[in-house]
Amino acid sequence: MWIGVPKSSNTYYTSQKWRGIALTTCALILIATLILFKAKPTSPSDPEALKGTAFFPSSIQFHPSFEFMNGTEVIWQIPNSPKAALFIAPGCTIRASNFWDKSTFCPNCDGLPEERAFVLQALEREFAVLTISSLEECWSFGKELENVEWIIKWWVRENKLEGLPMTALGASSGGYFVSALAFKMRFGSITIMIAEGVFVNIAIGNDYPPTLFVHMPKDRIRMSNILRNMEDFKAKGVDVKEVRCMDFPLIPNVLSDRIPGVNRSFAVKIVEVFHEKGFVDEKGYMKMDGRASPWKEALKEKNLLSESDEWIKHVEEELNLAYGYHEFCSLKSEDIFEWFDSHMK
Ligand SMILES: *[C@@H]1O[C@H](CO)[C@@H](O)[C@H](O)[C@H]1NC(C)=O
Ligand SMILES: *[C@@H]1O[C@H](CO)[C@@H](O)[C@H](O)[C@H]1NC(C)=O
């Protein structure tokens, strides 16, 4: 900073002058930096689109129980006075262990931001939460339906949850699975996320549970399938509703508030690279899905990422969510629990 500034006493006056110039320059650079920081990635250009992305502050601690049953992993947690039970079926490649943070209770758990946020909110609302992994990468619809029905009944018995309303939520492949399971088992109501369900091949009866579709309208084909299915539900007199999960601008807080382990200053750096590389448009919206953007290469180039980093999948999930095409969307938890609450039987 002071390089080039005269130091000898006979140039004291000059030194003072230089000092003044240098200080002013420093201050200007600082102000300019602050303005740039504020003006670029950190300012939400569309507050409405960012609604709900601030992390839900939760007082809940994860202390799940784990069991290996019928060839798969089963992880659950039961609040002190549960008012309902909730079975969650994850999407392809997502495991039960992705719904819970790593802890002494579950050393192999690795909570992904959307899944863990959803479970925290379920527990906060006194839902007993049961997560089960599919046998393969995605769910199948033969023996696996029987397995899961068996596991759910075992879990209800073991934990004395008989008499509580039973609800279910499935995302993507898990959404198809839950929609099929609801033909076999009684649920008070269900939520099918980013999936249209298996209703093309199976006709529903009027005893099918009330169904909430949570979907991302950017996936237009899926949306039109869902809207068509909803017509069918209405014709059969089955309660049905849709909730739309929209894209939003990627701001650092989306990463640092929602991913434990990514701090704010690091999130600012990541989002800066996204602007520099043009992964986001001038309003901060992702131009492509997180899975399709070469963001990992870009961060590696800047020495901001190494293969051993534990938050890679977590960041990618938030990028997918911001793009708003196909991802678990915990942003609509409010609507989902309202749906479950209004159909408690
Ligand atoms: C699941 O495992 C239990 C215990 O091993 C077994 O009794 C039950 O029959 C299995 N369920 C199915 C559907 O295979
Ligand atoms: C923020 O995270 C980065 C990357 O993980 C780390 O290098 C840095 O020390 C962290 N800063 C603070 C203040 O914790």
Side-chain angles (χ1 to χ4, degrees):
M1 188 64 60
W2 295 104
I3 290 168
V5 175
K7 282 196 191 90
S8 61
S9 57
N10 60 346
T11 54
Y12 180 71
Y13 172 77
T14 335
S15 170
Q16 283 301 306
K17 198 174 102 189
W18 274 105
R19 188 185 288 263
I21 289 170
L23 275 175
T24 314
T25 312
C26 275
L28 282 176
I29 289 172
L30 191 67
I31 290 167
T33 312
L34 284 173
I35 289 173
L36 273 176
F37 260 60
K38 276 254 176 305
K40 269 174 68 200
T42 55
S43 77
S45 43
D46 187 354
E48 190 54 34
L50 282 161
K51 242 169 102 179
T53 57
F55 186 64
F56 176 78
S58 179
S59 55
I60 299 292
Q61 299 282 318
F62 283 120
H63 52 82
S65 306
F66 177 95
E67 194 73 58
F68 195 79
M69 294 191 87
N70 302 86
T72 194
E73 49 180 5
V74 182
I75 309 178
W76 71 91
Q77 184 165 327
I78 304 190
N80 287 334
S81 39
K83 66 169 186 192
L86 168 64
F87 160 59
I88 306 177
C92 293
T93 75
I94 307 294
R95 317 308 297 163
S97 54
N98 292 134
F99 286 82
W100 314 85
D101 286 353
K102 192 193 201 78
S103 68
T104 51
F105 299 94
C106 189
N108 294 322
C109 281
D110 175 23
L112 288 172
E114 293 312 297
E115 283 82 352
R116 72 182 287 281
F118 184 72
V119 168
L120 283 172
Q121 292 178 73
L123 293 171
E124 184 105 20
R125 290 161 194 266
E126 311 284 359
F127 279 72
V129 179
L130 170 68
T131 57
I132 305 177
S133 296
S134 55
L135 289 172
E136 305 286 332
E137 204 168 275
C138 301
W139 292 95
S140 63
F141 299 84
K143 178 78 164 66
E144 211 166 4
L145 284 166
E146 272 169 49
N147 279 356
V148 168
E149 182 177 7
W150 194 92
I151 294 171
I152 293 175
K153 286 182 173 160
W154 167 86
W155 176 74
V156 165
R157 236 182 7 255
E158 276 294 295
N159 296 289
K160 305 191 168 44
L161 303 175
E162 296 99 337
L164 289 188
M166 187 78 212
T167 62
L169 174 142
S172 197
S173 169
Y176 295 101
F177 189 77
V178 163
S179 74
L181 191 62
F183 284 99
K184 285 173 64 69
M185 276 188 76
R186 277 211 87 69
F187 290 106
S189 57
I190 60 172
T191 296
I192 301 177
M193 194 183 268
I194 53 171
E196 62 269 43
V198 294
F199 308 112
V200 172
N201 301 316
I202 321 173
I204 58 160
N206 59 6
D207 58 346
Y208 196 81
T211 301
L212 176 69
F213 288 99
V214 177
H215 65 98
M216 296 179 153
K218 198 179 260 176
D219 185 349
R220 296 169 68 144
I221 294 173
R222 206 178 296 274
M223 177 164 81
S224 74
N225 290 338
I226 289 170
L227 295 179
R228 197 188 51 228
N229 285 346
M230 286 179 68
E231 288 310 311
D232 205 35
F233 274 67
K234 285 175 194 158
K236 298 275 168 51
V238 177
D239 215 357
V240 67
K241 191 181 155 184
E242 59 156 337
V243 168
R244 299 178 176 199
C245 198
M246 309 302 290
D247 55 356
F248 57 83
L250 183 72
I251 58 164
N253 279 56
V254 168
L255 302 178
S256 55
D257 289 354
R258 301 180 75 77
I259 308 172
V262 170
N263 62 40
R264 161 98 196 154
S265 57
F266 194 61
V268 168
K269 284 188 195 152
I270 294 178
V271 174
E272 275 181 334
V273 174
F274 276 60
H275 279 265
E276 188 189 311
K277 294 281 182 182
F279 297 158
V280 291
D281 68 15
E282 68 285 355
K283 285 185 165 170
Y285 286 84
M286 292 287 294
K287 288 184 189 164
M288 282 193 282
D289 196 68
R291 303 167 183 97
S293 306
W295 66 275
K296 281 170 257 178
E297 293 72 14
L299 291 189
K300 254 181 230 159
E301 230 174 75
K302 306 260 175 196
N303 285 322
L304 292 173
L305 181 148
S306 73
E307 293 299 342
S308 62
D309 284 325
E310 285 177 353
W311 42 262
I312 298 175
K313 277 196 316 188
H314 306 61
V315 167
E316 186 152 285
E317 185 168 286
E318 292 308 294
L319 302 180
N320 299 339
L321 184 71
Y323 183 64
Y325 186 85
H326 194 73
E327 190 49 81
F328 194 105
C329 177
S330 81
L331 304 178
K332 297 299 167 189
S333 299
E334 204 65 43
D335 300 271
I336 295 167
F337 290 109
E338 236 166 62
W339 184 256
F340 289 149
D341 284 342
S342 60
H343 296 94
M344 291 285 191
K345 284 198 287 257

